[in-house]
Each structure stands twice: as C-alpha cells, then as structure tokens.
C-alpha cells in the first residue's frame, strides 16, 4: 500500500487519499494502481471509468449548467464516456448567495473537450464565447423532468397526507 495512491491524470503528480483534486492543475484524481482488484469505493469506481486519452491537457470549458444538480448530471454523463470533469461556479456568480445555487461551468481536459461538447450538443463556436448558460440538450431536459415529476409526486403525497 503506497502513501500516495492517487494520481493526477493531467500532470501525473501523486497525491494522498485525502485529496480529491490535483493541487497543481485541479484535475479529479484517479487511483494509480488500476489493477485487477474490484472497485471498493464509489470514487474508485469513478476513477476506473476515466479514459486516459480524454484526460490530457489543460482544463477547457465544455459547457454550462444552470445549477449544481444539473452540473452533476452532466458530470455523470461525461464520466460514462470516460471524460473527467471539474465544476466551477460561473464567473459573476461566485458570491455567497450563489454558493449552492447559480450556474456552473463544466471544465474538461483539452483532449476530451470535442467529445464532451458533442455529448452535450454544444456548438464549438458558442462554447468558446463566454456566453450565459443556454438551454440544456433534450436528453438532459428529459432526465431533469423525470426528477421534477418525482419531486412533484412526493410533494403531492406530503400535502395530502398531512
Ligand atoms: Zn495535476
């Protein structure tokens, strides 16, 4: 068992288990020994999904989300394709009132940005510009609607039971 089991997929700096992101470049860390042992933690399972060819280069903005929940949904979609990502509060919204809410930028390594934008259906030119968050792609909206419908059903149950 090594003291620094986590590696940055961007710059290959080793980190202790207490770190989640690279101190140098902010990339989500992956387990160094990707070997035959079965995934033991969720983080380990996530790390295993990351494809090295999508984890190279500086972080680039691949898209935007309207809030943290939507951003995490996007992160999950990207990870399914092997693309690691980092969420950052959109500039101008990084004040305390917006810590929980507010739009997020989704950053991915340079080598994964083309695939990420394809996945998120963001036109390259539009994503390059510092544009305000745009409507999410249909796939995402469908997933969000499913969540809203569930929340609505729960609210209905709560109000009608009490
Ligand atoms: Zn790094």
């Amino acid at each position: 068992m090594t003291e620094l089991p986590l590696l940055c997929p961007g710059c290959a700096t080793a980190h202790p288990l207490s770190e989640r992101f690279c101190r140098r470049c902010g990339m989500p860390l992956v387990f160094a020994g990707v070997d035959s042992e079965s995934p033991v933690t969720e983080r380990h399972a996530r790390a295993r999904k990351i494809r090295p060819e999508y984890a190279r280069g500086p972080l680039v903005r691949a898209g935007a989300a309207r809030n943290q929940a939507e951003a995490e949904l996007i992160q999950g979609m990207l990870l399914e394709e092997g693309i690691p990502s980092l969420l950052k509060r959109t500039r101008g919204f990084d004040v305390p009132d917006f810590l929980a809410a507010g739009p997020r930028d989704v950053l991915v390594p340079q080598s994964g940005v083309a695939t990420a934008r394809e996945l998120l259906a963001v036109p390259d030119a539009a994503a390059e510009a510092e544009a305000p968050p745009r409507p999410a792609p249909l796939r995402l909206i469908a997933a969000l609607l499913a969540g809203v419908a569930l929340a609505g059903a729960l609210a209905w149950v709560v109000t009608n039971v009490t």
Side-chain angles (χ1 to χ4, degrees):
M1 198 58 169
T2 160
E3 298 258 316
L4 303 168
L6 298 176
L7 268 187
C8 170
C11 67
T13 306
H15 291 76
L17 270 178
S18 54
E19 300 290 332
R20 286 186 64 200
F21 300 102
C22 178
R23 285 181 214 144
R24 283 180 61 193
C25 50
M27 286 287 298
L29 299 171
V30 299
F31 273 81
V34 181
D35 48 32
S36 56
E37 73 184 88
S38 56
V40 280
T41 64
E42 192 199 346
R43 202 194 322 177
H44 197 155
R46 286 165 67 100
R48 281 170 151 266
K49 286 186 183 173
I50 292 173
R51 291 168 62 174
E53 65 264 40
Y54 290 147
R56 282 192 285 266
L59 291 169
V60 182
R61 186 170 174 276
R66 282 165 301 185
N67 52 52
Q68 178 72 25
E70 189 179 293
E72 284 175 5
L73 209 61
I74 290 176
Q75 252 191 327
M77 270 172 52
L78 293 176
L79 189 63
E80 283 305 312
E81 300 299 319
I83 306 169
S85 59
L86 190 71
L87 304 179
K88 205 172 138 247
R89 278 184 285 279
T90 301
R91 218 183 306 156
F93 291 92
D94 46 358
V95 292
D97 278 355
F98 288 101
L99 286 189
R104 300 287 195 275
D105 284 338
V106 180
L107 309 175
V108 305
Q110 182 84 59
S111 67
V113 76
T115 311
R117 284 181 185 162
E118 214 168 283
L119 273 172
L120 303 174
V122 178
D124 260 33
E128 290 293 337
E130 282 288 336
R134 65 191 55 73
L138 278 179
R139 248 203 296 179
L140 198 57
I141 290 169
L144 287 175
L145 283 180
V148 169
L150 183 65
L154 285 175
W156 186 89
V157 168
V158 169
T159 45
N160 282 275
V161 164
T162 52

